[in-house]
Amino acid sequence: MSNALKGLLWLIIAVVVLAGGYALYELLRPTGAEPAAPIAGAPAGITDKLARGEYLARAADCVACHTAPGGAPYAGGFAFKLPFGTIYGTNITADKETGIGNWSDDQFVRAVREGIGPQGNLYPAMPYTSYTELSRDDVLAIKDYLFSLPPVKQANPQNDLSFPFNQRWGMKFWNLAFFHEQRFAPDLNKDEQWNRGAYLATALGHCGECHTPRNLGFGLNQSKHLSGEVVQGWFAANITPDKQTGIGGWSDQQLSQYLATGHAPGRSSAAGPMAEAVENSLQFLTPEDNLALVKYLRDIEPIAGDGAAAVNLQPKGAGASTPILPGGQDSSLGRRIFANDCSGCHQWNGPGRQSEYASLVGSTAVNDPQGRSVVQAILKGTSISVGERHEMMPAFGSAYSDEEVAAVANFVVGHFGDKQGKVTAKQVAEQRKQ
């Protein structure tokens, strides 16, 4: 038998084994039955059907992934740039031709909770790995709300993925390895408020999709749940209650205010995807739900992150009364750029001149020696709207070279975090693509 024929035979055997394993899994896997007493998805005070669906859609942040920049809400087109290509958020308005107007209740529920739409498997950029815990009533309330909005006729862009990632059927095997269908089950050892926060964080808010590290197969590494990950070039910080690298040193008030407004005095200001989460979702939580989310995040297993990124609340450079450090003036490139283009808003001691959102001392971003979020903010800028208030930092990517961005990022990390910055021009060039 020739080597080519042997190779073909082994390939056929492997396909048969995989197919058989998947068929067995489908027969034996848990059905994800509804719990006897699911946590209510919307606060008890919201009784109107469509208002309930709107609240849930906001808590689930559906608009973020299904709206292109400057596009109609929920009409799709948002690009997810991945190492193996680009996929696009789809049109989930009630348009019958380009949206989901022809979907039945069962089809919508299956897509949201199992990642299987009428046309086949969805990619896990759609966070069905978290939404699987939602109750059927909550999912259908979101559908009712979406169908109450004006339909938008907008065709979905074609995904641009390399082989074999462009083969949707392959997601069946990804699900076999990384997806566990289940409904949220309250922890009977915790009170109602904690369980409410858990439902908001794990199912509706799907915090883990950004804040939990991924494994080699891009599945969530649940052993490091919420301990931090890089998303679109930004560092989604450790939000476990670890005192050095997480939120263990934050007060309840700081965490509550950060979730509601995107800024915590003496700590961080939200930027990038987190600013979008606050703008589109978290600011609309009721005060009761905000506090429930705080309680849950403060009472989960702390996981230590990279100790080199521990936040320094009293950096020596920012504590100086003048921009001249002991020993004379630092004439480095990064310091000169900061002096010319950054100090006017952020100030040398970091409180922010025009806005507290520009404060830097205590920020997670400036304490990251790799400076990932600092680089993204310089390159892309950032903005957030909370209520009637709009805050923004313009993008400087076109004004600076890769070397200049790296220099000023390292200066910021050193001055406001007391860390040795490790940003390189090569890193900046890579982050420009994200």
Side-chain angles (χ1 to χ4, degrees), residues 201 329 334:
Q329 176 70 46

Side-chain angles (χ1 to χ4, degrees), residues 113-132:
R113 300 200 304 190
E114 299 179 43
I116 302 175
Q119 306 304 318
N121 286 85
L122 305 180
Y123 290 103
M126 159 63 177
Y128 62 86
T129 48
S130 294
Y131 288 161
T132 185

Side-chain angles (χ1 to χ4, degrees), residues 240-379:
T240 75
D242 180 71
K243 290 188 179 297
Q244 296 300 315
T245 59
I247 58 169
W250 293 41
S251 69
D252 287 355
Q253 178 59 33
Q254 284 175 322
L255 186 53
S256 175
Q257 186 168 336
Y258 181 81
L259 294 171
T261 69
H263 175 74
R267 291 288 183 173
S268 289
S269 294
M274 188 62 202
E276 294 172 5
V278 173
E279 180 174 325
N280 296 324
S281 177
L282 293 170
Q283 69 166 310
F284 297 106
L285 294 181
T286 63
E288 295 77 14
D289 276 355
N290 174 288
L291 294 178
L293 189 52
V294 169
K295 182 169 187 175
Y296 170 76
L297 292 174
R298 302 279 287 183
D299 189 38
I300 58 176
E301 186 70 24
I303 299 175
D306 181 2
V311 173
N312 185 338
L313 295 177
Q314 295 180 316
K316 294 189 294 292
S321 59
T322 73
I324 300 177
L325 296 178
Q329 176 70 46
D330 176 4
S331 60
S332 68
L333 174 61
R335 189 179 185 86
R336 294 200 308 271
I337 293 174
F338 186 87
N340 291 334
D341 294 336
C342 310
S343 62
C345 288
H346 295 288
Q347 299 183 282
W348 287 99
N349 55 351
R353 175 170 284 135
Q354 294 88 347
S355 168
E356 66 273 19
Y357 283 78
S359 63
L360 294 176
V361 174
S363 163
T364 302
V366 304
N367 281 272
D368 172 18
Q370 298 177 65
R372 290 161 291 194
S373 293
V374 173
V375 169
Q376 286 299 94
I378 296 169
L379 292 176

